[in-house]
Amino acid sequence: MPHPCGQPPHPPPGTWQHGGVTAATHSTLFPQVPDTPDAVLDGLDPEQREVALALHGPVCVLAGAGTGKTRAITHRIAYGVRAGILQPATVLAVTFTNRAAGEMRGRLRQLGATGVQARTFHSAALRQLQYFWPKAVGGELPRLLERKVQLVSEAAARCQIRLDRTELRDATSEIEWAKVTQTVPADYAAAVVKAQRDAPRDAAELAQIYSTYEQLKRDRSVIDFEDVLLLMVGILQDRTDIAEHVRGQYQHFVVDEYQDVSPLQQRLLDLWVGDRDDLCVVGDASQTIYSFTGATPDHLLNFRTRHPGATVVKLVRDYRSTPQVVHLANGLLSQAHGKAADHRLELVSQRGKGPEPVYTEYGDEPTEAESTARRIRDLIAAGVPAGEIAVLYRVNSQSEVYEQALADAGVPYQLRGAERFFERAEVREAGTALRGAARAGGNDSLLDGADDLASQVRAVLSTKGWTTRPPAGSGAVRDRWESLAALVRLAEDFEAARPGATLTDLVRELDERAAAQHAPTVQGVTLASLHAAKGLEWDAVFLVGLTEGMMPIAYAKTDEQVEEERRLLYVGITRARVHLSLSWALSRSPGGRASRRATRFLNGLRPGSGTVGARGGAGGGGGIDRGTARAAANRAPVVERKPRSPVRCRVCGRTLTDAGEMKLMRCEDCPSDMDEGLYERLHDWRAAQAALLGQPDFCVFTEKTLMAIAEAVPSTEGELVVIAGVGNRKLSRFGTDVLAICAGEAVGDEAAQDTDET
């Protein structure tokens, strides 16, 4: 029987069900380009292969988390190009982030399918707008407004409405939502009511700001990113000649993450496609988490209605997560309600058995963070790379306590949300230096004695701040070092994959990766919000702060808003490959009232939480560690602690909640009585200890902890151990030295020198 795409069917390889399928998300860093079109299909499972072979007609791929959707669609495009069925220049693949588009371009390059356009909606539309503007409108395209916040602020001022920084950001988001839902200022207030949207302030005021903002743009001949889509839609609607030109150029469309498309993006897509049906969409309604930006899964869920003859393929084989993680994810969705829940996919793990998810309840947030940091340190010691571990939370403001806890535990980390790797200043500078060294070749004295590629790269980057040891502390200096260290690791991997490769070869690879935004991984535990984690994955994931009011978030009022919060937790769970930890704290600060409770979404899934009505009967497994006297005897020591008393400022007596103030045991603005001489001696001792251990200084004690010691001047172990940042572990390692220094005694080299002089 011929295949629907008109090509002869390819029998699946006989070994796919015995492990012949390459995991959806693990690939060789520098794979060989398949030598034939059929070789592009090697390693795909039957459903992925069905996607790859469905090259004509409307195609809808319903792809669950970890099922290899990007793999399926990139192999589909590559097979079509390599087999001569698709012309590369006629294919437009669109997605929603530069990172995802870069990954798609990188995979297509590795499969030998060059020349295919893989872009975000905005990037593709901007390119077309720049090209057609002189013909459609005349003159130069108005300047693109990179950031609209400043203009929104001016618009509010003209309306005599004062906005603080947070309100300004919210107003800007509201304007963006209105534009992607094609709502004009006059209709904004009514649209908010219809959408049951919780506007951040009076809708009439926001409509006034929105209207003034649009007028300011017109007065100054500037456009914003939403205008790029709106203007291109207008041109394609009004100019049939331009619409036909675009449709003649692009004849095959692929849309990734289709559940996130907005009404405006769908309108643009309809105009691109016209009356043809060469459209392939990929998505998962259960991962719709951006409705606040105007995204809706309706276009995905109604695709079969709009295209009755569509081929629909479901990908449910989960190559990412263990059965234990998948079981919990399925159980979470089994309790969901609404249209998206009616179309949920039941995932089937393809991995071997792993550890059960761990549930832990803590007395307060600092204890939750400290325990999480210790468990992460233990995972790293057991062989899990720091870059394969993530701490995920609901809102960004939750990160601070985890940054501090990880720093105290000596664990490197990175905050998700910085600029793209190859756009970082230090990476651009490093690229320039490497290109210069490659051009100079043997005439560059910097490379004297550097015989292999990796050594040459280390030598060049050493002039830009890279050292074999990371700098102490966190912040911009550490971020810069991590970027350069990622380039060093990339060079080492490149040389291992391509023996004999030269510096020129590496520079060419970096340039190609920069063009595709295919960045190497910066090593360090990732701290990220659940929204920022979408599309990513790690070996170990810690989902923290899972309390009512945070998950679901307090402002989720309607049933649909609550269901989106459930989907957000689902996204978090499905980021984990092997290790999954879910935790919550009963109070914010030590000694606070234990008024919080775990998220309702875990009811009936975590042992001991009771049962709830489930759709489909899925349930969650795993042990629970509640941090009470009834818990197992082998639990982590942190959950055995008695509730802490409130930490009070030792100067004014105020109860402290800020992590930094709690370390100092005083308010930041209360006068310090620190012994400067003692602080300097402790500082020198810490540097010597760090060098001896081969670790950054903060792994011994952070600056705040040193200051607290120098202010308290403890004379006994009991006085030292209660200082935040010390604890029993550091007391046993460093307590004798610290107490001796506080007593004015010499330790280490000083003590040895005194003995020699005697």
Side-chain angles (χ1 to χ4, degrees), residues 363-540:
D364 54 74
E365 287 183 7
T367 302
E368 183 181 10
E370 290 163 10
S371 178
T372 299
R374 274 194 290 271
R375 292 182 57 197
I376 288 172
R377 189 183 61 213
D378 292 343
L379 280 175
I380 294 172
V384 179
E388 290 294 349
I389 303 173
V391 178
L392 307 181
Y393 33 76
R394 178 60 180 84
V395 295
N396 285 318
S397 61
Q398 291 173 276
S399 75
E400 183 181 7
V401 67
Y402 290 92
E403 292 180 58
Q404 185 65 56
L406 290 171
D408 287 348
V411 176
Y413 66 87
Q414 56 177 332
L415 283 168
R416 176 82 183 155
E419 70 272 35
R420 290 176 288 177
F421 184 84
F422 287 104
E423 292 181 358
R424 297 177 188 175
E426 64 270 20
V427 175
R428 292 199 303 268
E429 293 171 8
T432 300
L434 290 169
R435 273 189 291 275
R439 284 195 299 269
N443 297 322
D444 192 337
S445 60
L446 186 64
L447 303 182
D448 291 347
D451 298 326
D452 58 90
L453 176 61
S455 298
Q456 293 172 356
V457 172
R458 293 189 201 101
V460 173
L461 296 188
S462 66
T463 67
K464 298 298 175 183
W466 181 81
T467 59
T468 54
R469 273 185 59 194
S474 58
V477 174
R478 180 59 181 256
D479 290 344
R480 178 183 177 88
W481 183 91
E482 291 287 3
S483 297
L484 298 179
L487 289 175
V488 171
R489 287 191 296 273
L490 181 69
E492 293 168 347
D493 291 336
F494 186 72
E495 185 174 29
R498 308 273 173 85
T502 66
L503 199 54
T504 300
D505 295 330
L506 177 65
V507 168
R508 187 179 301 113
E509 174 68 22
L510 290 176
D511 287 342
E512 290 179 358
R513 282 172 170 252
Q517 287 299 326
H518 187 192
T521 301
V522 175
Q523 286 300 315
V525 173
T526 298
L527 296 178
S529 71
L530 287 163
H531 282 100
K534 177 73 167 63
L536 303 175
E537 60 187 82
W538 296 269
D539 283 344

Side-chain angles (χ1 to χ4, degrees), residues 128 232-240 242-243 246 268 271-272:
Q128 293 174 16
M232 200 60 223
V233 164
I235 289 173
L236 293 174
Q237 286 180 158
D238 295 342
R239 294 288 299 267
T240 56
I242 293 177
V246 172
L268 178 60
L271 289 165
W272 280 342

Side-chain angles (χ1 to χ4, degrees), residues 469 685-701 729-730 733-734:
R469 273 185 59 194
W685 166 84
R686 183 185 68 166
Q689 284 292 317
L692 189 64
L693 296 170
Q695 296 179 338
D697 290 358
F698 69 80
C699 292
V700 180
F701 287 120
R729 184 179 64 86
K730 290 191 177 182
R733 294 187 71 185
F734 307 125

Side-chain angles (χ1 to χ4, degrees), residues 501-709:
T502 66
L503 199 54
T504 300
D505 295 330
L506 177 65
V507 168
R508 187 179 301 113
E509 174 68 22
L510 290 176
D511 287 342
E512 290 179 358
R513 282 172 170 252
Q517 287 299 326
H518 187 192
T521 301
V522 175
Q523 286 300 315
V525 173
T526 298
L527 296 178
S529 71
L530 287 163
H531 282 100
K534 177 73 167 63
L536 303 175
E537 60 187 82
W538 296 269
D539 283 344
V541 169
F542 290 79
L543 300 175
V544 299
L546 299 180
T547 59
E548 285 289 311
M550 196 60 75
M551 176 56 65
I553 199 75
Y555 51 74
K557 303 295 187 183
T558 67
D559 289 345
E560 180 47 43
Q561 289 169 342
V562 170
E563 286 305 312
E564 181 150 334
E565 292 289 299
R566 188 194 306 274
R567 294 194 296 269
L568 187 57
L569 181 57
Y570 173 79
V571 166
I573 290 170
T574 55
R575 299 311 93 194
R577 298 192 191 111
V578 181
H579 304 279
L580 178 62
S581 173
L582 305 95
S583 64
W584 57 95
L586 299 179
S587 67
R588 178 184 175 189
S589 56
R593 188 164 60 91
S595 58
R596 295 176 173 178
R597 55 192 175 93
T599 172
R600 72 191 76 168
F601 297 144
L602 296 180
N603 289 345
L605 300 177
R606 59 183 178 91
S609 62
T611 58
V612 295
R615 296 157 42 88
I624 180 167
D625 184 350
R626 295 183 59 83
T628 67
R630 294 187 298 274
N634 61 350
R635 64 192 169 211
V638 65
V639 296
E640 295 176 353
R641 292 181 180 175
K642 296 179 180 179
R644 297 176 177 175
S645 299
V647 178
R648 301 187 184 280
C649 174
R650 53 192 171 77
V651 179
C652 69
R654 182 177 69 86
T655 299
L656 303 176
T657 58
D658 178 78
E661 292 182 343
M662 288 165 63
K663 276 191 176 297
L664 292 174
M665 293 189 290
R666 65 170 173 82
C667 304
E668 284 280 4
D669 51 2
C670 279
S672 169
D673 55 355
M674 182 174 69
D675 184 328
E676 297 287 349
L678 173 57
Y679 174 76
E680 290 300 326
R681 291 195 300 276
L682 288 168
H683 202 275
D684 292 344
W685 166 84
R686 183 185 68 166
Q689 284 292 317
L692 189 64
L693 296 170
Q695 296 179 338
D697 290 358
F698 69 80
C699 292
V700 180
F701 287 120
T702 64
E703 290 291 332
K704 285 281 177 68
T705 300
L706 282 191
M707 292 173 63
I709 294 171

Side-chain angles (χ1 to χ4, degrees), residues 244-291:
E244 290 306 315
H245 186 136
V246 172
R247 293 166 193 158
Q249 170 69 50
Y250 296 117
Q251 300 168 21
H252 305 275
F253 295 86
V254 177
V255 185
D256 194 11
E257 302 287 3
Y258 193 55
Q259 77 278 353
D260 290 332
V261 77
S262 70
L264 177 57
Q265 289 164 333
Q266 181 62 48
R267 182 64 187 134
L268 178 60
L269 180 63
D270 289 340
L271 289 165
W272 280 342
V273 176
D275 58 3
R276 295 165 306 178
D277 61 3
D278 279 324
L279 172 64
C280 174
V281 300
V282 189
D284 178 10
S286 296
Q287 295 188 69
T288 304
I289 58 173
Y290 297 112
S291 67

